[in-house]
Amino acid sequence: MARAALGPRSALRLRTTKSDKNAKNAKPGAPAKPESKARKPESKPRKPESKPRPARRERHVMPFPIRLLAMLCAFGFMVAFAVVLARLTLEPSPASVSLAHTNLHPGRSLKAYLDQPALRDAVKQIGGNLLLGVPFGILVPVVAPRARGLLRVLLLTAVVMLLVEFAQGALITGRAFDIDDVILNTSGALIGYVLLGRRLGRAVHARERLPRRSAKKKAGDA
């Protein structure tokens, strides 16, 4: 009977909730605390928007009259060089008919030049072909701005010299196609470009980037 009498009380104790305990512990006159607050979803921090960079305009460092004069001088030298090149490579040489042979193997003619007993003849052959390519490396970056760059200059020189050698072998008496001449001419263009052509091309066609006036005004207003 005692256990049965205690049963309902224990059940009532178990059914008491936390809210009842909070109500008992609360001081009289104090506002009741809400049971639970709805958590607001945490907003992710926004990344600062990147400001658009002001557009820039380009201006040539060297004044236009000086650039034009430099290009005209380079063009004149190029024409003069083309005339000299044609006279040296495209003139018939009947006395050399028995000596001219087509060479498609790189290094064969160079070995023949170096095997000559007279050092002067070897220097003349090798040095002459090198000097024929030097003006390409110097003048092409000034005359043709789009052809600036080492690879472009070398490619242009190789193409021109290949055409000259093909014309020699097919049309000119006493001349023959020689791949070593193309190699030497292209090497000469490399020397001319490294020594002087690169600097001249940059000096004549160099540009300076300047901000636009509208961007300056906006910055001043801000």
Side-chain angles (χ1 to χ4, degrees):
M1 292 296 290
R3 292 180 180 177
L6 293 175
R9 293 181 180 179
S10 61
L12 290 172
R13 290 177 182 176
L14 292 175
R15 289 178 183 177
T16 57
T17 60
K18 293 182 179 180
S19 60
D20 297 335
K21 292 181 180 179
N22 293 334
K24 291 179 181 179
N25 296 330
K27 295 180 180 179
K33 296 182 180 180
E35 293 183 2
S36 62
K37 295 182 179 180
R39 294 184 179 179
K40 297 181 180 180
E42 297 180 358
S43 58
K44 297 182 179 179
R46 295 182 180 180
K47 297 181 179 179
E49 297 180 357
S50 58
K51 297 181 180 180
R53 296 181 179 179
R56 296 179 178 274
R57 58 189 179 92
E58 294 182 350
R59 183 184 69 181
H60 285 282
V61 177
M62 188 176 292
F64 177 74
I66 298 177
R67 288 192 297 111
L68 181 61
L69 181 61
M71 293 181 66
L72 290 176
C73 292
F75 182 76
F77 281 116
M78 184 66 77
V79 172
F81 168 70
V83 173
V84 174
L85 179 64
R87 293 190 62 180
L88 292 176
T89 59
L90 299 179
E91 280 189 356
S93 180
S96 303
V97 173
S98 59
L99 301 175
H101 299 285
T102 301
N103 176 32
L104 299 176
H105 300 279
R108 179 179 293 179
S109 295
L110 290 175
K111 185 179 179 180
Y113 295 153
L114 295 175
D115 289 342
Q116 293 180 0
L119 181 61
R120 181 179 179 181
D121 295 337
V123 173
K124 183 179 179 180
Q125 293 290 340
I126 297 176
N129 285 312
L130 285 174
L131 289 176
L132 282 178
V134 170
F136 276 95
I138 296 175
L139 299 177
V140 168
V142 180
V143 176
R146 294 184 179 179
R148 286 189 300 165
L150 179 60
L151 294 179
R152 294 180 182 180
V153 171
L154 295 182
L155 180 62
L156 180 60
T157 305
V159 170
V160 173
M161 292 305 176
L162 279 173
L163 294 176
V164 171
E165 291 295 325
F166 279 125
Q168 283 183 343
L171 304 175
I172 309 302
T173 304
R175 304 282 184 175
F177 179 88
D178 195 340
I179 191 63
D180 285 338
D181 290 347
V182 179
I183 295 174
L184 290 173
N185 298 148
T186 307
S187 301
L190 172 62
I191 295 172
Y193 179 81
V194 172
L195 293 180
L196 193 58
R198 178 177 56 181
R199 298 177 182 177
L200 286 178
R202 288 180 179 178
V204 174
H205 301 289
R207 295 183 178 184
E208 181 183 7
R209 292 184 176 181
L210 298 174
R212 289 185 178 179
R213 295 180 181 177
S214 58
K216 287 184 177 180
K217 289 181 178 180
K218 290 180 180 179
D221 295 340

